[in-house]
């Protein structure tokens, strides 16, 4: 099971509401938050998504750490070396805390400085551009490329970017594109 930690305010469900159905297409998801534990998909889920306000003490070999825009650090953090981090480019709190921790991250946004950006956007369809090399959670190397994304629901471009980046870091094949959202 692959671990994904979402960090940000407990009442901020916008990202998890897009991430969970998107991940469910690639294997079941067990979701845990402060007040609920739920499972989506098969009995043996491929992913554990844990929603928390602060980064917990992590004693796991690898995973993905996703910062919601509602994340506000209370203390300095330590990011396990094998965890891959993702945040939106305008999330200055995540950028600062990761810089202080000496951790690198995949940044999602609309500029050429970001790791993942939008090349074109239309109703329900987008072409995203991976602008630099990234290493997947299994150690594979993804080189810059464009890929398609379809959405079934009203998904904001910024959430679409973060979820697509998580799928890429998990090693999902983007050659046929991704379906994001419900």
């Amino acid at each position: 099971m692959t671990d994904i930690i979402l960090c940000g305010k407990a009442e901020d469900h916008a990202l998890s509401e897009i991430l969970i159905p998107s991940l469910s297409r690639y294997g079941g998801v067990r979701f845990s938050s402060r007040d609920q534990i739920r499972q989506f998909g098969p009995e043996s889920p491929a992913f554990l998504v844990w929603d928390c306000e602060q980064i917990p003490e992590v004693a796991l070999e690898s995973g993905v750490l996703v910062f919601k825009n509602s994340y506000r650090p209370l203390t300095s953090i330590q990011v396990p070396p094998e965890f891959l981090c993702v945040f939106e480019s305008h999330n200055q709190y995540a950028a600062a805390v990761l810089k202080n921790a000496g951790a690198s991250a995949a940044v999602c946004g609309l500029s050429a400085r970001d790791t993942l950006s939008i090349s074109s956007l239309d109703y329900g369809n987008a072409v995203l551009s991976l602008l630099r090399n990234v290493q997947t959670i299994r150690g594979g190397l993804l080189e810059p490329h464009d890929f398609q994304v379809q959405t079934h629901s009203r998904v904001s471009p910024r959430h679409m970017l973060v979820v697509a980046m998580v799928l890429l870091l998990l090693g999902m094949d983007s050659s046929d594109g991704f379906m994001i959202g419900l």
Side-chain angles (χ1 to χ4, degrees):
M1 186 179 309
T2 303
D3 299 292
I4 301 164
I5 301 171
L6 295 176
C7 286
K9 293 191 186 274
E11 56 275 357
D12 179 2
H13 302 288
L15 187 55
S16 62
E17 289 173 355
I18 306 301
L19 180 63
I20 290 170
S22 301
L23 285 173
S24 293
R25 290 183 180 86
Y26 299 94
V29 177
R30 184 168 295 148
F31 175 77
S32 175
S33 67
R34 178 175 60 187
D35 52 355
Q36 69 174 311
I37 298 174
R38 299 183 65 192
Q39 187 160 314
F40 304 86
E43 285 183 31
S44 298
F47 308 102
L48 170 63
V49 176
W50 188 41
D51 196 341
C52 55
E53 293 204 10
Q54 296 298 314
I55 300 170
E57 183 178 328
V58 178
L60 301 170
E61 287 186 23
S62 65
V64 178
L65 178 58
V66 181
F67 292 90
K68 300 183 219 177
N69 286 334
S70 61
Y71 173 73
R72 300 295 181 268
L74 296 177
T75 61
S76 61
I77 65 163
Q78 287 192 341
V79 177
E82 298 303 316
F83 262 69
L84 305 175
C85 302
V86 178
F87 67 94
E88 291 178 41
S89 60
H90 66 274
N91 188 337
Q92 298 306 312
Y93 290 104
V97 79
L98 288 170
K99 182 177 181 182
N100 289 339
S104 61
V107 183
C108 303
L110 302 177
S111 84
R113 294 184 325 240
D114 298 318
T115 309
L116 185 65
S117 189
I118 296 174
S119 176
S120 69
L121 182 63
D122 198 7
Y123 298 101
N125 293 299
V127 175
L128 304 186
S129 295
L130 182 65
L131 300 174
R132 49 197 46 66
N133 291 341
V134 294
Q135 191 168 350
T136 68
I137 198 165
R138 307 271 184 262
L141 182 68
L142 291 176
E143 295 181 349
H145 68 283
D146 291 347
F147 59 96
Q148 283 219 273
V149 169
Q150 291 183 323
T151 61
H152 276 313
S153 59
R154 296 175 69 146
V155 175
S156 77
R158 60 179 219 240
H159 289 139
M160 177 178 40
L161 283 166
V162 170
V163 171
M165 191 71 239
V166 169
L167 293 172
L168 288 171
L169 292 175
L170 293 172
M172 301 305 156
D173 183 7
S174 63
S175 62
D176 290 330
F178 293 139
M179 182 67 66
I180 295 181
L182 303 174

